[in-house]
Coordinates of all heavy atoms in Angstrom, one line a residue:
K61 N 35.1 66.5 -127.0 CA 35.8 66.3 -125.7 C 34.9 66.1 -124.5 O 35.0 65.1 -123.8 CB 36.8 67.5 -125.5 CG 37.7 67.8 -126.6 CD 38.6 69.0 -126.2 CE 37.9 70.3 -126.0 NZ 37.2 70.8 -127.1
S62 N 33.9 67.0 -124.4 CA 33.0 66.9 -123.2 C 32.2 65.6 -123.3 O 31.9 64.9 -122.3 CB 32.1 68.1 -123.1 OG 32.9 69.2 -122.8
D177 N 36.9 68.9 -116.9 CA 36.4 69.5 -118.2 C 36.7 71.0 -118.2 O 35.9 71.8 -117.6 CB 34.9 69.2 -118.4 CG 34.5 69.4 -119.8 OD1 35.3 70.0 -120.6 OD2 33.4 69.0 -120.2
E178 N 37.8 71.4 -118.9 CA 38.2 72.8 -119.0 C 38.2 73.5 -117.6 O 37.5 74.5 -117.5 CB 37.3 73.5 -120.0 CG 37.1 72.7 -121.3 CD 37.5 73.5 -122.5 OE1 38.2 74.5 -122.4 OE2 37.2 73.0 -123.6
V209 N 40.4 67.8 -120.0 CA 39.9 68.3 -121.3 C 40.3 69.8 -121.4 O 40.0 70.5 -120.4 CB 38.4 68.1 -121.4 CG1 37.8 69.1 -122.5 CG2 38.1 66.7 -121.8
Ligands
MG2 MG1 33.4 70.9 -123.9

Side-chain angles (χ1 to χ4, degrees):
K61 306 181 297 297
S62 295
D177 196 348
E178 312 234 16
V209 159

